[in-house]
Amino acid sequence: MEESKEEAEAGLQKKYSSMVERLNKCHQSRSDNNNESESSSSPAFESTSSFLTQFSNLKSSIESQLTHSHSVSSSDPSQLKPHFEQISTSISYLEKLVAENSYFLPSYDVRSSLKTIADLKHTLETLISQLLPKKKFSFKNKAATKKDTTNNNTVTPQEPKQPLPLNRDSLGFRNKSGELLVGDFRGSEVGKFTVSDLNSCEVRIIGCVSTLFIHRLKDSRVYVGPVMSSVLIEDVEGCVFAMASHQIRIHAATRSDFYLKVRSRPIIEDSNGVRFASYCLRYEGIKEDLRGAGLDAEIGNWGNVDDLKWLRAMQSPNWLILPENVRG
């Protein structure tokens, strides 16, 4: 049994070595990306108007639910937890709505919508701390329970800097140093997956996951198959990422490269020295995985980066397109 397991892992590592080699050799032209992006968004006024109407209606409904929280607390405190969970679900749906439509939305509307969602989350968290002071609440869905196959070397994690939502109950690779971490999820239903507190590691994820959280990485490489909804990245330095998702948000990243396929514009905040290129990861079955995740079409948004801390008309100095002759 042990021999067959070792042989299977050796085969998987061989496949991934080939995959990474192809990534390093991939040089795609981007000359038509800007034109494609403009042509795809030009007829978007009616769609944008429809989106904003729906977004406003959902926002008003959530605000009404938030306002009703004190009444729930007074009449039946036992209903507070399901009440807050329902609001959290509504906010998550609103966030997904932005992710799925932001590929045609103007940058201002994307930023404004994301700020509204952040304000709603903050209001919810404030109410939770006031009305459920002994309960710890987070935005999360139940994830599948599946063991990872990594070793048990650990490193001491750094203190977080105002972290994005991080799901400690999800599957993931955490607290590793100098390791190769491989997850093969083909044929599995994986919810939220967390990659956190890694130093000088290489992560290879084949197959699809629902949501990906990446938190506190240094000098590491992360190669990921399709992510069904969103990727949240925070506090990374000297790293390389290859990933495909509907929405990718990057916070507090420095000296890192991102090879992306993304439906909406990538968003950076409090980041500098970050570079972007097109996603060119390959493994057996990736075309089917991308199609199943709704990510098979190439929109070219990997190069349309929104810097939330740079609102001027000129190019942000915090990011640039990765030159083709240095990709990999």
Side-chain angles (χ1 to χ4, degrees):
M1 184 70 179
E2 286 295 320
E3 289 183 3
S4 63
K5 184 177 179 180
E6 291 175 1
E7 289 174 359
E9 182 155 341
L12 184 59
Q13 290 185 10
K14 184 177 180 180
K15 288 182 181 179
Y16 270 107
S17 295
S18 176
M19 171 191 72
V20 174
E21 182 179 354
R22 284 193 291 272
L23 173 66
N24 292 338
K25 291 181 179 179
C26 182
H27 299 289
Q28 272 187 287
S29 172
R30 68 179 185 90
S31 59
D32 295 330
N33 279 343
N34 289 335
N35 291 336
E36 291 174 2
S37 177
E38 287 297 323
S39 63
S40 67
S41 60
S42 57
F45 175 78
E46 290 185 4
S47 296
T48 301
S49 176
S50 176
F51 166 82
L52 293 176
T53 298
Q54 185 178 5
F55 184 91
S56 178
N57 290 338
L58 291 170
K59 169 179 170 286
S60 297
S61 175
I62 293 170
E63 288 175 336
S64 176
Q65 290 177 312
L66 290 168
T67 302
H68 187 58
S69 298
H70 286 283
S71 298
V72 174
S73 177
S74 299
S75 60
D76 189 356
S78 66
Q79 293 301 309
L80 271 177
K81 185 175 180 180
H83 173 73
F84 286 142
E85 287 176 347
Q86 178 59 46
I87 297 176
S88 174
T89 300
S90 298
I91 295 175
S92 295
Y93 175 80
L94 194 62
E95 193 168 28
K96 181 180 179 182
L97 184 71
V98 176
E100 291 179 345
N101 292 276
S102 57
Y103 70 94
F104 66 78
L105 292 173
S107 298
Y108 173 81
D109 290 326
V110 174
R111 290 194 295 267
S112 177
S113 298
L114 291 174
K115 184 180 184 305
T116 295
I117 291 170
D119 291 343
L120 291 171
K121 287 183 177 181
H122 177 72
T123 301
L124 176 57
E125 289 167 358
T126 300
L127 286 169
I128 290 168
S129 65
Q130 291 175 349
L131 303 179
L132 292 175
K134 295 181 181 180
K135 299 290 184 180
K136 188 174 182 180
F137 185 89
S138 62
F139 294 89
K140 63 184 180 182
N141 297 321
K142 291 184 178 179
T145 56
K146 179 178 178 181
K147 295 181 179 179
D148 66 60
T149 57
T150 62
N151 298 324
N152 292 319
N153 296 336
T154 61
V155 295
T156 303
Q158 303 172 5
E159 286 297 316
K161 299 182 288 186
Q162 295 182 341
L164 294 168
L166 182 62
N167 187 356
R168 294 292 184 183
D169 299 325
S170 67
L171 288 170
F173 300 129
R174 302 176 176 88
N175 301 327
K176 306 294 180 183
S177 179
E179 295 190 25
L180 173 62
L181 309 171
V182 179
D184 188 343
F185 301 121
R186 287 174 294 188
S188 303
E189 293 186 5
V190 179
K192 295 187 178 182
F193 195 91
T194 298
V195 178
S196 69
D197 302 297
L198 304 185
N199 190 349
S200 301
C201 290
E202 184 168 313
V203 175
R204 302 172 180 178
I205 298 175
I206 188 169
C208 298
V209 299
S210 175
T211 304
L212 180 64
F213 294 90
I214 297 176
H215 192 64
R216 295 195 301 270
L217 270 60
K218 185 174 182 180
D219 299 328
S220 296
R221 293 174 176 266
V222 180
Y223 305 108
V224 184
V227 179
M228 303 293 287
S229 58
S230 63
V231 178
L232 298 178
I233 301 171
E234 183 182 43
D235 195 7
V236 297
E237 179 181 357
C239 296
V240 176
F241 300 91
M243 52 187 56
S245 182
H246 287 266
Q247 181 185 40
I248 298 175
R249 181 165 181 171
I250 302 161
H251 180 257
T254 57
R255 297 188 302 102
S256 295
D257 294 340
F258 298 86
Y259 294 79
L260 306 181
K261 177 189 281 282
V262 58
R263 287 292 303 273
S264 60
R265 296 178 177 89
I267 296 169
I268 66 171
E269 186 176 18
D270 295 327
S271 300
N272 63 82
V274 293
R275 306 184 298 182
F276 293 84
S278 60
Y279 182 78
C280 44
L281 195 62
R282 297 290 182 271
Y283 61 77
E284 184 178 354
I286 190 172
K287 289 184 178 179
E288 291 75 14
D289 288 343
L290 287 169
R291 190 178 303 114
L295 293 166
D296 49 326
E298 179 55 68
I299 298 174
N301 269 333
W302 60 267
N304 298 326
V305 181
D306 283 334
D307 186 347
L308 297 187
K309 291 302 178 71
W310 186 264
L311 303 180
R312 302 179 188 178
M314 65 183 70
Q315 165 70 36
S316 165
N318 298 317
W319 70 274
L320 53 83
I321 298 296
L322 186 63
E324 291 188 8
N325 63 343
V326 298
R327 293 182 185 181

